[in-house]
């Protein structure tokens, strides 16, 4: 059965700059339900594991350093077609290419410090959600 969930992180730049509330407001205004939410900080090892798929890319080391540089907010969101809908709400990875009105257009600082993460597939949404939360948490 398709879960219709996506996983997101509000990244260290956005949390540190006090943009988490505004971003959460946009998420709720777009009719996503927050199923789980956690304010936490990744260790460099956890960041390396979470972004393992990017290992070997030129930005990998710097990304892991940045993602463990401050607090993040991890969330599981639900909505019909959650992955696709959320990627539309956040906009392109590179804020210079993100559409007007998207979260990244409004709050991202750079292609790396791009305010939020969003899962790229249903399969990865589940893997990423389970990285931060026990599966029971998001059905309660
Ligand atoms: P995210 O959606 O979390 O998925 C992978 C992350 O890698 C991406 O957002 C950016 O933070 C980062 N990233 C992707 N491409 C680049 C790049 N060319 N240079 C630096 N960071 C990148």
């Amino acid at each position: 059965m398709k879960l219709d969930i996506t996983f997101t992180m509000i990244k260290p730049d956005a949390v540190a700059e006090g943009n988490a509330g505004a971003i959460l407001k946009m998420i709720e205004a777009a009719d996503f339900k927050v199923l789980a939410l956690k304010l936490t900080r990744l260790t460099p090892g956890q960041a390396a594991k979470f972004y393992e798929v990017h290992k070997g890319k030129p930005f990998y080391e710097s990304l892991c350093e940045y993602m463990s540089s401050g607090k993040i907010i991890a969330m599981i969101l639900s909505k019909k077609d959650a992955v696709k809908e959320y990627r539309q709400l956040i906009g392109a990875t590179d804020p210079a290419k993100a559409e007007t009105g998207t979260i990244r257009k409004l709050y991202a600082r750079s292609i790396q410090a791009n305010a939020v993460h969003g899962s790229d597939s249903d399969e990865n949404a589940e893997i990423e959600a389970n990285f931060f939360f026990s599966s029971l948490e998001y059905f309660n």
Side-chain angles (χ1 to χ4, degrees):
M1 195 188 80
K2 194 173 168 224
L3 286 176
D4 271 338
I5 60 160
T6 192
F7 172 80
T8 185
M9 282 184 280
I10 302 179
K11 295 188 177 186
D13 58 300
V15 173
E17 288 171 28
N19 291 325
I23 291 171
L24 188 51
K25 195 166 182 179
M26 287 181 72
I27 290 170
E28 290 190 319
D31 288 332
F32 288 89
K33 296 277 171 266
V34 179
L35 298 189
L37 183 152
K38 189 182 283 180
L39 175 71
T40 186
R41 183 171 177 167
L42 291 168
T43 64
Q46 286 171 322
K49 178 104 186 89
F50 185 87
Y51 281 112
E52 205 164 26
V53 63
H54 296 294
K55 199 170 181 174
K57 293 185 184 162
F59 58 83
Y60 178 68
E61 308 278 323
S62 158
L63 175 64
C64 296
E65 199 175 303
Y66 157 68
M67 285 303 297
S68 54
S69 68
K71 287 185 179 169
I72 57 109
I73 295 175
M75 285 183 269
I76 302 171
L77 306 174
S78 78
K79 182 180 178 173
K80 189 171 182 308
D81 295 325
V83 167
K84 183 172 135 251
E85 291 285 313
Y86 191 64
R87 287 176 77 80
Q88 273 177 18
L89 179 66
I90 66 180
T93 304
D94 181 353
K97 296 181 184 148
E99 300 74 6
T100 305
T102 59
I103 291 175
R104 283 172 170 158
K105 187 69 175 185
L106 287 163
Y107 298 110
R109 296 284 160 248
S110 67
I111 192 165
Q112 177 173 270
N114 60 354
V116 286
H117 166 79
S119 306
D120 63 4
S121 66
D122 290 339
E123 189 192 7
N124 282 337
E126 223 178 313
I127 292 168
E128 292 171 359
N130 283 315
F131 188 94
F132 283 88
F133 301 96
S134 74
S135 55
L136 279 180
E137 271 178 88
Y138 56 87
F139 294 112
N140 284 339

